[in-house]
Amino acid sequence: MKAVYGDACLTEGKVRKWTRFYRGEDLKETTVRDRKRPGRPVSATDTMHQQKVDEMIVANRRVKQKGIANALDISKERVHHIITVHLGYRKVSARWVQRQLTVEMKAQRKTICTQLLERFTHDDERFLRSIITGDESWVHHYDPESKMQSMQYRHKNSPAPKKFKVVASAQKVLLTIFWDMEGIVHIEFLEQGTTINSERYVSTLRALKGRLRRVRQDKVKDVVIQFDNARPHTSRQTQCALQQLELPTIPHPPYSPDLALSDFFLFPLLKKHLKENHYETDAEVDVDVRSWCRSQTPEFIADGMRKLVQRWRLCIERDGDYVKK
């Protein structure tokens, strides 16, 4: 019409408006949804197909959408729509955990978390401020960056960057670190050719006690130690040394890295900083680790310590099961 009558013709919007008027529709009503119209009704997403898709998923949680589409003779797009919109399913990967917890292990985890949470409720943040947490971790001279760290902005027509598979270096050094709500208390690296055993760990505890007398004079008598149940931590020799040094401990359930502060908070962030860095000697690793630790603000460290309380609560809510990241 526009090509024939030129500017004297009504615009497309006016034509649509008058069409709606003569259909008896309310011109003031505005909607972005599809109106009912004549034609073949949608049957691929009806109740029958939804029920069949649900039955196939329940029978095989790893079933492919293409397999469902072929079995029901509907499109893969409609299968995806039924699964995500109508049935509310989402496909997730399994999460790796350190160990399959038994009923007794879960009960022990829940009991310990309940005891610690009750103590926190009674003493408030004074309890958190008294905790000195410690752990060990290997630090490699070279650790390749993760795939997420290597992401970069590119135009849609730019070639995708390539990342070659690289493994961490064989050269590594064992880091031992103790910290509290105020910051890092003690850092120690294991000498090459030696192993961490009860005798070596007792030496570390004596160094920690001396360090506490220098940097935490106001609370050296009130501290409690938190570490995991590694053999050097729980041996009789270590327990005797803790009594002699007057360093009481708080309980920690076995196989529970999700409740160990260094494992779920400090070490992941430190390792992220060290990735893609090359170190020639253990001394260079020592310098960079200490530099990173000094750069962390007291507020950052305190927030990490408070996450422990959240973990206790989540563990209790999950009846002792592992806490998600």
Side-chain angles (χ1 to χ4, degrees):
M1 290 172 64
K2 193 76 173 177
V4 174
Y5 296 106
D7 295 337
C9 179
L10 292 174
T11 63
E12 182 180 355
K14 288 290 185 181
V15 172
R16 292 183 180 275
K17 180 179 178 181
W18 285 112
T19 302
R20 291 176 57 197
F21 175 77
Y22 285 113
R23 282 180 180 173
E25 299 178 8
D26 187 359
L27 299 181
K28 296 182 179 179
E29 179 185 356
T30 303
T31 178
V32 296
R33 298 183 181 277
D34 292 337
R35 298 181 181 277
K36 292 183 178 181
R37 59 187 184 275
R40 181 180 176 182
V42 177
S43 58
T45 56
D46 58 12
T47 305
M48 180 190 69
H49 283 91
Q50 293 177 29
Q51 184 177 356
K52 289 184 178 180
V53 172
D54 192 29
E55 291 174 353
M56 294 182 68
I57 292 177
V58 171
N60 180 12
R61 295 288 179 174
R62 297 186 178 183
V63 65
K64 305 292 185 180
Q65 293 185 15
K66 186 176 181 180
I68 297 176
N70 293 336
L72 301 182
D73 195 22
I74 59 177
S75 68
K76 184 180 175 182
E77 185 273 333
R78 288 291 89 187
V79 172
H80 178 77
H81 182 80
I82 292 173
I83 291 174
T84 57
V85 177
H86 292 283
L87 300 179
Y89 283 112
R90 62 190 183 97
K91 206 166 190 178
V92 295
S93 301
R95 183 171 65 94
W96 291 106
V97 294
Q98 186 179 20
R99 191 182 182 90
Q100 183 176 359
L101 297 175
T102 63
V103 176
E104 292 76 13
M105 289 178 179
K106 292 181 181 180
Q108 184 180 12
R109 282 167 51 90
K110 185 176 180 180
T111 300
I112 292 176
C113 288
T114 302
Q115 294 172 355
L116 296 174
L117 190 59
E118 288 176 352
R119 188 168 175 180
F120 169 76
T121 303
H122 181 269
D123 296 338
D124 200 25
E125 279 205 354
R126 288 177 298 172
F127 177 47
L128 292 182
R129 294 186 180 280
S130 67
I131 295 177
I132 303 288
T133 182
D135 209 342
E136 302 84 29
S137 182
W138 286 105
V139 179
H140 292 267
H141 284 205
Y142 173 72
D143 194 8
E145 65 180 0
S146 64
K147 186 175 180 180
M148 182 173 292
Q149 287 179 303
S150 65
M151 294 176 67
Q152 52 187 269
Y153 287 104
R154 293 291 186 98
H155 289 292
K156 62 180 181 180
N157 296 326
S158 300
K162 295 180 180 180
K163 182 175 179 62
F164 299 98
K165 187 175 182 179
V166 183
V167 298
S169 65
Q171 288 182 306
K172 57 185 180 180
V173 59
L174 187 65
L175 164 68
T176 301
I177 189 167
F178 287 89
W179 56 286
D180 63 0
M181 205 166 184
E182 298 178 34
I184 307 300
V185 177
H186 181 64
I187 297 177
E188 194 173 279
F189 287 91
L190 189 66
E191 300 82 3
Q192 293 291 344
T194 58
T195 57
I196 183 93
N197 52 25
S198 299
E199 184 178 353
R200 181 67 178 80
Y201 196 69
V202 168
S203 174
T204 298
L205 291 176
R206 296 187 188 281
L208 172 64
K209 183 68 174 186
R211 181 70 176 168
L212 286 171
R213 291 194 181 102
R214 293 193 299 272
V215 300
R216 299 289 188 271
Q217 297 179 4
D218 57 333
K219 69 172 190 179
V220 67
K221 295 182 179 180
D222 301 323
V223 299
V224 291
I225 306 297
Q226 184 211 41
F227 43 56
D228 59 25
N229 293 314
R231 190 174 296 275
H233 302 169
T234 57
S235 67
R236 181 175 298 179
Q237 185 177 355
T238 300
Q239 296 303 313
C240 292
L242 287 169
Q243 292 180 359
Q244 294 174 359
L245 296 171
E246 297 180 346
L247 292 174
T249 61
I250 58 176
H252 183 80
Y255 307 109
S256 301
D258 58 325
L259 300 177
L261 269 165
S262 297
D263 285 331
F264 73 76
F265 175 72
L266 191 68
F267 285 152
L269 297 173
L270 173 60
K271 298 290 183 68
K272 184 178 180 180
H273 163 75
L274 297 176
K275 278 184 178 295
E276 203 62 18
N277 292 334
H278 292 263
Y279 304 101
E280 297 295 333
T281 63
D282 292 349
E284 293 181 4
V285 177
D286 189 330
V287 170
D288 200 8
V289 169
R290 293 179 187 274
S291 174
W292 182 85
C293 291
R294 286 193 298 267
S295 67
Q296 306 310 308
T297 63
E299 293 78 13
F300 170 79
I301 297 295
D303 288 342
M305 185 67 74
R306 293 187 185 100
K307 293 181 186 297
L308 187 58
V309 180
Q310 301 175 10
R311 296 265 170 156
W312 293 337
R313 292 196 177 103
L314 289 173
C315 182
I316 295 171
E317 292 174 1
R318 296 175 61 84
D319 290 327
D321 203 356
Y322 281 119
V323 178
K324 296 181 180 179
K325 293 183 178 180

